[in-house]
Amino acid sequence: MRARSASLVVAGAAAVLLSVAGCSGGGGTAEPTATVTSTQTSTVTATPMGPVTPTPNSGDGSGGGASGSGGGSAAAGGACDAGALTGSTAEGGGGAAGSVEFELVLTNTGSSECTLQGWPGVSFVGDGNGTQLGAPAEQDFSSPHPTVTLAAKGTAIVPIKVTQAANYPAADCQPAQADGFRVYPPGSKASLFIADPLMACAKADVSIMTVQAVQAG
């Protein structure tokens, strides 16, 4: 910014002449004459400010949060919504004595691709009304957990192992016929139901299932 100065000069001159003449009788002594002269000069100089550097805003108007769409439905390629998935079971690798291994198959029924990554939440349900039987499946965190992309109508699998309920004392297991599985896709608070009438343990603190992370189908 170019320096600029302003000068204000105020000058004033005033003269006051007071003359008082008097006479007495036919003549007298003239009164003294008083003359007052005042001159005042004042100069004010404005000193210019230096260059002003703009201070950047603390944000870009987004509130400082991460960029994105916030809440709402995931865009194409986002996490698969439970409402866009259906489930079934398929034979797996057999299993050791006293257990059975198979796969939960998740199918994307939506019109665009979506992704799954991590471990689903799985539990037995029964009584014809979705009542949970026993404790949820344990998650095998040693299993690979890639991000799996499901094209429209594409599938992913979840390897699962179930120990036979008959291996447990009845008092410890409280065996009960399950209607199937309640499955929460990774990161979802919504679930889907997969029918499969297996024997489960209804006792709340007993889990006879182990699930791995979602794998490509």
Side-chain angles (χ1 to χ4, degrees), residues 63-214:
S67 60
S69 59
S73 301
C80 297
D81 184 88
L85 296 173
T86 59
S88 59
T89 59
E91 293 184 1
S99 65
V100 58
E101 294 181 5
F102 55 97
E103 297 168 348
L104 302 179
V105 181
L106 302 177
T107 302
N108 175 18
T109 62
S111 59
S112 59
E113 69 178 23
C114 62
T115 60
L116 291 172
Q117 193 274 330
W119 293 262
V122 182
S123 58
F124 283 116
V125 292
D127 294 344
N129 58 9
T131 298
Q132 180 171 316
L133 304 177
E138 297 179 356
Q139 296 171 328
D140 179 6
F141 292 118
S142 67
S143 61
H145 48 282
T147 297
V148 179
T149 299
L150 285 70
K153 314 307 178 185
T155 63
I157 62 171
V158 179
I160 186 168
K161 178 180 179 180
V162 177
T163 302
Q164 294 179 359
N167 292 350
Y168 295 85
D172 296 336
C173 171
Q174 298 177 4
Q177 181 77 50
D179 297 324
F181 305 96
R182 178 184 292 125
V183 179
Y184 290 89
S188 176
K189 293 182 179 181
S191 64
L192 62 145
F193 173 72
I194 300 177
D196 195 349
L198 296 175
M199 289 299 296
C201 288
K203 195 170 183 179
D205 60 350
V206 175
S207 175
I208 61 174
M209 286 189 292
T210 303
V211 295
Q212 298 183 27
V214 176

